[in-house]
Amino acid sequence: MDDISTGILFALLACLIVISGYFSGSETGMMALNRYRLKHLANTGHKGAKRVEKLLDRPDRLIGLILIGNNLVNILASAIATILGMRLYGDLGVAIATGALTLVVLVFAEVTPKTLAALYPEKVSYASSILLGILMKLLSPLVIFVNFITNGFIRLLGIKAVHGGDDHLSSEELRTVVNEAGSLIPTRHQDMLISILDLEHVTVNDIMVPRNEITGIDINDDWKSIVRQLTHSPHGRVVLYRDQIDEVVGMLRLRESYRLMLEKNEFTKETLLRAADEVYFIPESTPLNVQLLKFQRNKQRIGLIVDEYGDIIGLVTLEDILEEIVGEFTTSIAPSLSEEITPQIDGSFLIEGSANIRDINKGLKWKLPTDGPRTLNGLILEHLEDIPESHLSVQVSGHPMEIVELEENRIKLVKVFPKPAKKNKAK
């Protein structure tokens, strides 16, 4: 290099630093890409995304190529900087060249390009993938050789070199992705997606209509009473039983009973029983996501929930599960609150004792415990460890509560206050 002028060496050194910056930025840009957005763009035909996805199919080879190029360029730059230092300052120039080159490479070939690539990974990686693709073809024998040695050394350490990695998301990771989507996904849609993910953590007995609230018809009642109940029922289907709910005999669609009334000359208990559908039973611990699929597979919309002893403990419908996803089907002014929750002027809420704790937490953004009783009545009784005989005030999970109305052995209405705000301690 003695015949090469100093100006040319400086120009060559500058070019090498730019090339080093290209390799450094390409590495960071490729690794910082959103893999799911990349896959989406590749599926839509984006050429740059397709090129990058092909390179990332073998990340070990891509990194090997980038590091081979980067190290060759940096070593050559170091040699040229040493020659320039010796020409300009003699033996002292070697130390000066080493220090100066280290600073220049750090700023212009490492930190700056990597920062820009981290900020704009798509722009950097899509553009750099053109040259990287060409270099991969030209240097593939060298890259494969280096990777063979590297992977062999990794295996000696007891580590399996798996290509491509695992890009699958767990439900918790998907939940984080949805929450971090921001304005890209409307808030209402985010809530629905999160609710779908929550279905696997909720069982049918968390949302069921309790046994004592199931509307049914005792088939042993007199016929006029049965007809009156059929014509005044607000539900689309009713349970038919004998004497008690555990002796269930069928599930009757009200539309079918109306058809029998109009078409049959003899509308009797026998024809009514023949028109009833077979009862669909559901184990109490069935997760909602499983039950939703079972409703679809079995062409059912309603089922009775039974415990481990086979006793009926409640009822659940397809609409109940759908409401867990989209919210309650209501025309209320404040659809976020259940009909069992009534706001008061003093900031408190009148809540029915039968209200589900999950519904209360969801509507009011509270954190009442859900790992025990499922209703507010059950939560207070568990806290008191007794059935109250008169109105009293308690504090449960930090919420002041006043029992407003009692009915037989259960709490019917409770006045609940939000948690008092924590006062900052004076320093």
Side-chain angles (χ1 to χ4, degrees), residues 18-29:
V18 170
I19 295 172
S20 178
Y22 161 79
F23 282 116
S24 297
S26 297
E27 179 185 6
T28 300

Side-chain angles (χ1 to χ4, degrees), residues 98-125:
T98 301
L101 182 64
T102 300
L103 181 62
V104 169
V105 169
L106 185 65
V107 173
F108 296 103
E110 291 291 335
V111 176
T112 300
K114 287 188 175 182
T115 301
L116 290 173
L119 293 173
Y120 307 102
E122 291 187 6
K123 292 181 179 179
V124 171
S125 58

Side-chain angles (χ1 to χ4, degrees), residues 12-238:
L12 184 57
L13 181 60
C15 289
L16 291 173
I17 291 172
V18 170
I19 295 172
S20 178
Y22 161 79
F23 282 116
S24 297
S26 297
E27 179 185 6
T28 300
M30 293 285 183
M31 297 302 112
L33 277 173
N34 184 321
R35 298 300 176 89
Y36 300 98
R37 176 171 170 78
L38 175 67
K39 189 177 291 293
H40 166 70
L41 290 174
N43 291 336
T44 58
H46 192 286
K47 292 182 179 179
K50 285 184 174 180
R51 289 194 303 268
V52 173
E53 188 177 44
K54 185 177 180 181
L55 289 170
L56 288 173
D57 281 342
R58 288 298 301 266
D60 57 333
R61 291 187 180 179
L62 175 61
I63 293 173
L65 171 66
I66 291 173
L67 292 181
I68 288 171
N70 210 355
N71 280 284
L72 287 175
V73 169
N74 287 342
I75 291 170
L76 185 56
S78 177
I80 293 175
T82 301
I83 293 171
L84 286 171
M86 291 182 67
R87 281 190 183 183
L88 297 175
Y89 303 104
D91 293 338
L92 182 61
V94 176
I96 295 174
T98 301
L101 182 64
T102 300
L103 181 62
V104 169
V105 169
L106 185 65
V107 173
F108 296 103
E110 291 291 335
V111 176
T112 300
K114 287 188 175 182
T115 301
L116 290 173
L119 293 173
Y120 307 102
E122 291 187 6
K123 292 181 179 179
V124 171
S125 58
Y126 295 161
S128 65
S129 64
I130 299 174
L131 182 56
L132 286 176
I134 297 172
L135 291 175
M136 182 67 78
K137 293 178 180 178
L138 294 176
L139 301 176
S140 58
L142 179 59
V143 172
I144 293 172
F145 175 71
V146 170
N147 282 137
F148 175 77
I149 297 174
T150 304
N151 291 337
F153 180 69
I154 289 175
R155 283 193 291 270
L156 287 176
L157 297 176
I159 302 172
K160 292 183 179 179
V162 180
H163 303 303
D166 184 8
D167 289 335
H168 297 97
L169 286 175
S170 68
S171 60
E172 294 303 319
E173 289 169 337
L174 184 56
R175 184 193 307 273
T176 301
V177 171
V178 173
N179 285 328
E180 295 297 322
S183 59
L184 296 175
I185 302 177
T187 303
R188 182 62 183 147
H189 295 174
Q190 287 185 30
D191 293 340
M192 290 172 62
L193 290 171
I194 294 297
S195 296
I196 292 173
L197 295 175
D198 284 339
L199 290 183
E200 63 179 318
H201 303 298
V202 185
T203 58
V204 289
N205 55 358
D206 288 319
I207 66 167
M208 69 181 182
V209 176
R211 173 193 175 104
N212 62 325
E213 295 181 16
I214 295 177
T215 301
I217 295 177
D218 185 354
I219 203 69
N220 288 336
D221 285 347
D222 66 272
W223 181 239
K224 289 185 178 180
S225 174
I226 292 175
V227 172
R228 185 169 58 253
Q229 291 178 69
L230 288 173
T231 54
H232 290 84
S233 175
H235 305 288
R237 304 182 188 216
V238 293

